[in-house]
Amino acid sequence: MSPPTSAAPEPDDALSTLRQALPARAATAYGADHAFIPWAYQGALLAEFARSRGIDPAEWLGRCGVVPGQALSARQLLSMLAALQPLAGDVGFVVGQLSLPGHYGLASQALQQAGDLRQALRVLCDWPARLSPLLTPRLVESADELLLVWTEACGAPPSLQPLLVDMQMSAVVAMAQWLGGGRSLPWRFSFNRTRPRELSRHAAYLGPALHFGCQVDAMRLPLSAAVEPWPAAVAGRAAMALGALGQGADPQAAWRGQLAVLYDHLLGEVGGDPSLERSAQRFGISPATLKRQLAQLGTHHQAQLDQVRAHAALYLMLLRGQRGEAVARTLGFHDKSNFRRSFKRWTGMTPGLL
């Protein structure tokens, strides 16, 4: 059941801090089959991992339908990971550790030139097509904490989603430790899945603060730890690569996956009119075409809208301390019981239980 809609909220509403994580400009969307990722980037990294484990590259890549040296799509990268998963159970953690800053052109240079972790995370979120093409990072800042949330870029099989989350979280942890001079940080991790039977790899690569059965995949860190200058930081150096990116030296770096762009649009529409028709207008296509494209990614418009509303509600309740009635109004619900039913459908629990 969809809630009644109201006028679009003012820019300084309760969700303004959350919306600060949205890109400053409308991003170009890439689909799952858009081959724009140079082989020398993530493709070569996966191939080197396979070689280190004695996996025959020709046989492995042949099963994936991938030709070495050719540009890759997100779907092809996913198929490469899926083929490696049963052969090497730690592929997500190990590849993650090697992923960032990476060798992905100017975006990787901007990461290495960052003065502290907060600046690096902003770079990560601003240029996701190069640094994190399979999952989209979103940075939410409060007065004393940073929250890095991971959402889908352009679809992934449910069986592969845990691997992607583990890989990207491991990448950020390893990057922060390396660029931070080896210092371990007090990360806390939330996982939108049930607790696995074996946690030794999570503990070894991420740390002990692991929380499963949550409603979102996220990493939390005190702001004080994120703004401590890195040992190799040089004042003003970060502007070099960032300046080139900002001037369009690598325009594809700012692209976002189709589901990420839809998430951005729906978050901006929360409390207003988040309809399929308006979302289709954002992409310049018909509602029927958008519906078909989402089905090809294994999802639909209502599921994406539910996810955005759930994330917004959790943010308002858990980070802003708002009660259910205020949250319902912000999300465009005029009936508290309607919001309660919807919230339970989104999260599996009532606002009171949360």
Side-chain angles (χ1 to χ4, degrees), residues 30-36 71-76 154 258 296-297:
Y30 60 85
D33 295 310
H34 190 164
F36 73 97
L72 298 170
S73 67
R75 198 184 303 278
Q76 288 175 311
C154 52
Q258 187 174 19
Q296 292 172 348
L297 297 177

Side-chain angles (χ1 to χ4, degrees), residues 34-294:
H34 190 164
F36 73 97
I37 304 168
W39 167 263
Y41 291 1
Q42 286 84 359
L45 178 61
L46 290 179
E48 182 56 35
F49 171 82
R51 191 175 293 107
S52 72
R53 296 300 174 89
I55 300 170
D56 180 27
E59 180 183 350
W60 161 59
L61 292 174
R63 291 200 307 270
C64 302
V66 171
V67 178
Q70 292 187 356
L72 298 170
S73 67
R75 198 184 303 278
Q76 288 175 311
L77 272 181
L78 289 170
S79 69
M80 292 167 70
L81 283 167
L84 286 172
Q85 189 175 26
L87 303 175
D90 60 350
V91 58
F93 294 109
V94 176
V95 170
Q97 275 206 321
L98 302 173
S99 293
L100 296 177
H103 303 281
Y104 318 130
L106 285 170
S108 288
Q109 292 180 35
L111 277 182
Q112 295 181 57
Q113 293 171 2
D116 56 41
L117 178 57
R118 178 170 65 173
Q119 192 175 65
L121 293 180
R122 288 174 174 172
V123 170
L124 178 66
C125 295
D126 286 343
W127 314 103
R130 290 295 183 231
L131 301 172
S132 179
L134 300 180
L135 281 185
T136 300
R138 302 172 181 278
L139 186 62
V140 181
E141 302 184 24
S142 68
D144 56 2
E145 187 179 50
L146 291 185
L147 182 70
L148 188 65
V149 179
W150 296 96
T151 64
E152 287 189 278
C154 52
S159 60
L160 208 57
Q161 192 70 15
L163 183 150
L164 296 181
V165 171
D166 295 342
M167 183 172 72
Q168 294 309 116
M169 288 186 175
S170 299
V172 172
V173 170
M175 176 194 70
Q177 188 166 15
W178 178 53
L179 295 178
R183 183 168 59 96
S184 296
L185 298 175
W187 291 104
R188 289 183 291 160
F189 303 89
S190 300
F191 299 92
N192 185 17
R193 63 182 189 263
T194 57
R195 177 188 174 95
R197 284 182 300 223
E198 177 57 53
L199 284 178
S200 58
R201 285 175 180 160
H202 286 83
Y205 287 94
L206 301 180
L210 307 167
H211 305 278
F212 292 87
C214 303
Q215 303 299 324
V216 66
D217 294 304
M219 310 166 64
R220 301 175 70 168
L221 187 71
L223 181 60
S224 58
V227 298
E228 185 172 329
W230 280 342
V234 177
R237 189 178 65 165
M240 296 169 60
L242 285 178
L245 286 167
Q247 292 172 14
D250 182 5
Q252 293 181 342
W255 289 5
R256 297 166 80 84
Q258 187 174 19
L259 292 184
V261 172
L262 179 58
Y263 186 108
D264 297 340
H265 168 75
L266 292 174
L267 182 56
E269 294 280 301
V270 164
D273 180 23
S275 64
L276 173 66
E277 290 71 23
R278 285 178 63 86
S279 295
Q281 289 175 9
R282 163 60 182 86
F283 290 100
I285 57 180
S286 70
T289 299
L290 177 58
K291 211 173 172 183
R292 183 175 63 254
Q293 290 178 349
L294 293 178

